[in-house]
């Protein structure tokens, strides 16, 4: 049977040539079946989009965003990039690596966002790699407007003679979200090529750019694949508003069609006590995915997203015949910063 008889023929293509871009990402990343986890849960057929395999500094979703952000930085003649994130930020790690690859400097602000951590938390995992990439950093207490703090540092460096380029936390603005507009087109192409159809895409959602880019991309393409974001930090309404705002700005950048708020889907039932604080379901998701599929999840983003997917399967949210795609956003480096908590959860 031909692809056209199962999937609609898609003629819309998104052209990215008008935006500056650098080559940082291994793409397309594979889509793999998870048969053992599917059987273990007794639900729909589960698949995983391996954006932990994007290649830059152990990979992760920020690499796609950085292709456009760093392209813009080079076009503007920047000699240093300024950004911010939590202490164990995957975004900071990948930004530092991208700066090294392009011969630029990188300075970051690390927010002590996660309470109750030991000193080792600020020395291992992503922070160790930040140092390896010669990223300079300074710490900030929790609760500040971190983008404003980082912008202030960029402004100060400009007065000191630098040419800074500011990247918001998570690379989540309309420029960074282009990376996941491109990923939406990539997923559509993979489905058409392999005669595969997914009824849902599930992912962890935080700073908003990844989910916004996917939603904007599928919307422009006219490709019907709902994206369920499992919040890793904020209550549902705040996360919905953040994703919607970034989606609208991304669509405007692309001269795309209007989108209704109802197109943004968020589940906040797996946040637990807060950002970077694994719940029992987070730790179970790490263990199950490792032991059933040999895939590593991180305790901050991808494991909370997977916990949401597992919970939805158990609650009967999906139809038994559905094919459900999970977006792996990377971040396994931070497992080392949570070693005691993870080991203590193993049986």
């Amino acid at each position: 049977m031909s692809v056209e008889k199962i999937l609609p023929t898609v003629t819309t293509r998104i052209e990215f040539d008008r935006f500056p871009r650098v080559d940082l990402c291994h793409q397309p990343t594979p889509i793999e079946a998870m048969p053992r986890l599917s059987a273990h849960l007794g639900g729909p057929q589960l698949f995983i989009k391996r954006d932990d395999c994007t290649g830059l500094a152990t990979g992760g979703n920020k690499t796609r965003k950085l292709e456009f952000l760093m392209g813009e930085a080079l076009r503007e003649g920047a000699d240093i990039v300024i950004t911010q994130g939590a202490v164990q930020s995957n975004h900071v790690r990948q930004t530092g690596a991208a700066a090294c690859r392009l011969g630029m400097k990188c300075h970051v602000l690390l927010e002590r966002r996660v309470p109750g951590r030991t000193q080792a938390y600020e020395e291992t995992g992503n922070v160790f790699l930040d140092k390896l990439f010669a990223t300079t950093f300074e710490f900030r207490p929790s609760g500040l407007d971190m983008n404003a703090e980082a912008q202030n540092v960029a402004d100060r460096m400009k007065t000191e003679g630098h040419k800074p380029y500011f990247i918001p936390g998570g690379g989540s603005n309309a420029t960074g979200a282009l990376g996941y507009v491109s990923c939406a087109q990539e997923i559509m192409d993979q489905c058409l090529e392999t005669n595969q159809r997914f009824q849902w895409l599930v992912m962890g959602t935080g700073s908003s750019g990844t989910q916004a880019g996917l939603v904007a991309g599928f919307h422009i393409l006219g490709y019907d694949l709902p994206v369920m974001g499992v919040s890793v930090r904020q209550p549902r309404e705040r996360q919905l508003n953040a994703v919607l705002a970034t989606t609208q700005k991304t669509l405007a950048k692309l001269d795309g069609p209007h989108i209704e708020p109802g197109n943004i889907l968020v589940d906040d039932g797996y946040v637990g006590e807060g950002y970077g604080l694994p719940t029992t379901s987070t730790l179970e998701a790490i263990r199950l995915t490792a032991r059933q599929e040999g895939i590593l999840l991180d305790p901050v983003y991808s494991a909370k997203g997977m916990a949401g997917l597992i919970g939805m399967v158990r609650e009967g949210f999906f139809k038994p015949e559905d094919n459900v795609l999970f977006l792996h956003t990377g971040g396994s480096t931070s497992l080392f910063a949570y070693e005691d908590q993870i080991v203590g959860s193993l049986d």
Side-chain angles (χ1 to χ4, degrees), residues 139-171:
F139 291 96
R140 290 288 190 276
S142 178
L144 299 177
D145 182 337
M146 289 297 292
N147 280 334
E149 291 285 314
Q151 183 64 68
N152 289 339
V153 171
D155 293 341
R156 184 195 74 210
M157 289 194 170
K158 190 172 183 179
T159 66
E160 296 171 354
H162 291 286
K163 295 179 179 178
Y165 178 82
F166 167 65
I167 299 175

Side-chain angles (χ1 to χ4, degrees), residues 225-242:
L225 179 54
V227 180
M228 174 62 76
V230 179
S231 181
V232 304
R233 183 182 184 185
Q234 298 193 117
R236 181 175 178 273
E237 287 303 315
R238 287 180 61 189
Q239 189 65 25
L240 279 171
N241 290 336

Side-chain angles (χ1 to χ4, degrees), residues 79-329:
D79 60 4
I80 185 168
V81 290
I82 313 295
T83 194
Q84 61 88 7
V87 170
Q88 284 293 329
S89 169
N90 298 319
H91 163 66
V92 166
R93 181 235 316 153
Q94 288 164 85
T95 302
C100 285
R101 185 153 169 184
L102 298 172
M104 302 172 69
K105 295 180 180 179
C106 179
H107 183 76
V108 304
L109 274 61
L110 296 179
E111 180 186 8
R112 290 185 166 115
R113 191 182 300 168
V114 183
R117 300 290 108 176
T118 66
Q119 181 62 34
Y121 188 77
E122 297 185 358
E123 299 171 353
T124 188
N126 281 314
V127 181
F128 166 68
L129 294 183
D130 296 342
K131 295 177 182 178
L132 183 60
F133 294 129
T135 300
T136 56
F137 54 85
E138 51 193 275
F139 291 96
R140 290 288 190 276
S142 178
L144 299 177
D145 182 337
M146 289 297 292
N147 280 334
E149 291 285 314
Q151 183 64 68
N152 289 339
V153 171
D155 293 341
R156 184 195 74 210
M157 289 194 170
K158 190 172 183 179
T159 66
E160 296 171 354
H162 291 286
K163 295 179 179 178
Y165 178 82
F166 167 65
I167 299 175
S172 289
N173 58 15
T175 299
L178 292 174
Y180 273 87
V181 176
S182 176
C183 184
Q185 187 158 278
E186 179 178 300
I187 291 170
M188 182 190 74
D189 289 343
Q190 288 175 305
C191 290
L192 292 171
E193 290 167 5
T194 60
N195 206 15
Q196 178 67 71
R197 181 68 175 176
F198 297 106
Q199 281 67 49
W200 287 93
L201 188 155
V202 178
M203 55 167 292
T205 183
S207 59
S208 81
T210 301
Q211 185 177 6
L214 288 171
V215 172
F218 292 135
H219 188 61
I220 292 173
L221 294 165
Y223 191 73
D224 183 20
L225 179 54
V227 180
M228 174 62 76
V230 179
S231 181
V232 304
R233 183 182 184 185
Q234 298 193 117
R236 181 175 178 273
E237 287 303 315
R238 287 180 61 189
Q239 189 65 25
L240 279 171
N241 290 336
V243 175
L244 177 61
T246 307
T247 303
Q248 290 171 332
K249 291 173 184 176
T250 305
L251 287 168
K253 191 177 186 72
L254 290 161
D255 302 317
H258 173 76
I259 192 167
E260 296 296 330
N263 288 72
I264 310 300
L265 305 172
V266 170
D267 184 336
D268 65 355
Y270 300 86
V271 174
E273 295 182 10
Y275 177 91
L277 295 171
T279 66
T280 300
S281 64
T282 310
L283 297 171
E284 182 198 26
I286 291 172
R287 183 178 68 254
L288 278 181
T289 309
R291 293 183 173 179
Q292 296 296 326
E293 299 293 344
I295 294 173
L296 298 175
L297 302 178
D298 82 290
V300 180
Y301 282 93
S302 58
K304 283 192 175 180
M306 180 61 79
L309 173 57
I310 292 169
M312 290 177 216
V313 171
R314 288 171 172 165
E315 293 164 6
F317 179 85
F318 308 110
K319 298 176 182 178
E321 65 272 18
D322 281 350
N323 292 320
V324 181
L325 179 63
F326 178 77
L327 177 70
H328 191 334
T329 51

